[in-house]
Amino acid sequence: MTECEKKLIAENETAFYTFDIGVLKRRVEYLRSRLGNMQLCYAVKANTFIIKEIENCVERLEVCSPGEYAVCKALGISPEKIVISGVYKTPSFIEELVKDADFNGIFTVESLTQYELLCNLSEKYGRKLSLLLRLTNGSQFGINKADIDNIILNKNLKKNIDIMGIQYFSGTQKTSIKKYRREIEKIDAFLTHLKDDLGYEATELEYGTGFPVSYFEDEKLDEEALLNGFSDIVASMENKPAVTLEIGRSIAASCGKYYTHIVDKKINKELGYLLCDGGMHHLVYFGQHMAMKQPLLSVAGKENEPVGAEWNICGSLCSMNDIIAKYVSLPPVEIGDTLIFENTGAYCMIECISLFLTRDIPAVYLIDENQNAVSVRRTFETSQLNTPDYERKI
């Protein structure tokens, strides 16, 4: 445990998060070292608190809502680095961006409705728009191959539209090289079809890899082999578009830690329970499976002590589902000890039921490369969000 961590634990009476920027940047460097000349697009939905720190480490940032764009704008993110994505793009939001002469980012196309809207707005405001057509994986995301064919066949009728290429994403936490190979081969075949049959050569492929992250003790991942295998698959493509990998979890997870205090301990029917001031309103893991897997965690200051008794670690919500981990062997613990959860830099705090029971939302700290802490969000009282405002007239 670092001196910075010790100081933060001493200063915070309740749960909090930290995101280590040194770890974050080293993670990006590692990915680049394994992925060759492929570009990186950071999915800001994974963690909005590290956007400014990662802006100059990646080529693009993927934004999926007006709120995410507002965060980027408030942070002064360069518009040319932004890809406006998401299954539903609010028409008023799209129009706001198109008429903004300073916005020169990219739009993904999720439907024919979105495409027509973008085309109409490009004509209305005389703006040339850069688009990526999202190929569906068979879910609610993207559009069919036939629809992409029709757009390509008629693209010359849309003078202000620049179709850069294809975007594709099929899911997260993918560990199978065979699945990556099938997807890339399918995309490659489609790009060949567009070139040979329609005379259109895609210059860009944005691919959501869904690279996996290990969250639990029993997960074994040979990431080196996975990344090397993936790079070989991309290198073997017949078509050679510029490839951008849209990544969130794989970039951000390792930089985050979550700290929560033991506030009570008890034995109920011979099972040990530790009650924390955090819980599932602060911390959610992909694949948590009702806490049957054991996340990577330690007890602050007792990392090197031998483990003993098993405990169920529970949160502070009035819900039987609020169990973070079951049957975890820990060193001797007392009320007031701090539990530290690893790999919580992506989604873990974003996907929580933060407003349930009107509990506080934890503070957030960034740890700079000199191990100095910067407070970027205070502990937030949710009572102001859950209290009716009768003064608002309809």
Side-chain angles (χ1 to χ4, degrees), residues 44 48 51 63-74 90 93:
V44 305
T48 58
I51 294 172
V63 168
C64 290
S65 73
E68 287 183 354
Y69 182 73
V71 173
C72 290
K73 193 170 183 179
T90 312
F93 173 51

Side-chain angles (χ1 to χ4, degrees), residues 207-220:
Y207 179 64
T209 66
F211 284 150
V213 168
S214 295
Y215 288 119
F216 306 105
E217 292 283 358
D218 60 348
E219 289 182 337
K220 291 181 173 60

Side-chain angles (χ1 to χ4, degrees), residues 70-88:
V71 173
C72 290
K73 193 170 183 179
L75 293 172
I77 301 300
S78 175
E80 68 182 5
K81 300 195 75 163
I82 293 177
V83 179
I84 301 297
S85 192
V87 65
Y88 174 57

Side-chain angles (χ1 to χ4, degrees), residues 124-304:
K124 179 178 179 179
Y125 293 102
R127 294 287 312 281
K128 190 174 183 69
L129 302 182
S130 298
L131 308 184
L132 289 168
L133 306 180
R134 185 168 187 176
L135 175 64
T136 187
N137 61 8
S139 67
Q140 71 268 42
F141 302 110
I143 52 182
N144 291 319
K145 292 179 180 180
D147 293 325
I148 291 177
D149 283 359
N150 288 331
I151 289 174
I152 296 299
L153 284 170
N154 295 287
K155 67 183 180 65
N156 291 334
L157 301 177
K158 311 294 183 180
K159 300 188 185 307
N160 288 328
I161 294 297
D162 175 21
I163 299 175
M164 303 169 63
I166 300 297
Q167 200 266 5
Y168 187 83
F169 176 76
S170 69
T172 192
Q173 291 289 81
K174 295 184 293 190
T175 60
S176 170
I177 282 290
K178 290 182 179 180
K179 183 166 186 178
Y180 287 116
R181 187 178 301 280
R182 285 197 301 269
E183 288 186 353
I184 293 296
E185 288 177 350
K186 178 172 68 173
I187 295 167
D188 198 22
F190 185 56
L191 294 179
T192 297
H193 155 69
L194 293 178
K195 181 175 62 177
D196 293 349
D197 300 335
L198 304 183
Y200 168 77
E201 187 166 0
T203 59
E204 297 245 1
L205 169 62
E206 183 179 295
Y207 179 64
T209 66
F211 284 150
V213 168
S214 295
Y215 288 119
F216 306 105
E217 292 283 358
D218 60 348
E219 289 182 337
K220 291 181 173 60
L221 171 65
D222 187 346
E223 186 174 47
E224 190 89 2
L226 183 74
L227 295 178
N228 289 338
F230 177 81
S231 295
D232 290 343
I233 293 168
V234 173
S236 68
M237 289 178 64
E238 174 186 335
N239 297 276
K240 304 297 179 184
V243 177
T244 300
L245 305 182
E246 183 262 298
I247 304 174
R249 189 184 309 274
S250 184
I251 286 178
S254 61
C255 79
K257 292 183 180 180
Y258 170 67
Y259 305 75
T260 183
H261 305 81
I262 298 172
V263 294
D264 207 348
K265 54 186 289 193
K266 61 178 76 173
I267 305 295
N268 284 352
K269 294 187 175 181
E270 300 182 353
L271 290 177
Y273 290 89
L274 297 178
L275 281 298
C276 301
D277 56 4
M280 67 178 185
H281 58 314
H282 294 172
L283 184 67
V284 171
Y285 286 108
F286 183 92
Q288 194 162 356
H289 299 300
M290 292 297 293
M292 294 307 294
K293 294 185 177 182
Q294 294 190 11
L296 303 170
L297 66 93
S298 61
V299 182
K302 299 181 178 180
E303 294 88 349
N304 297 320

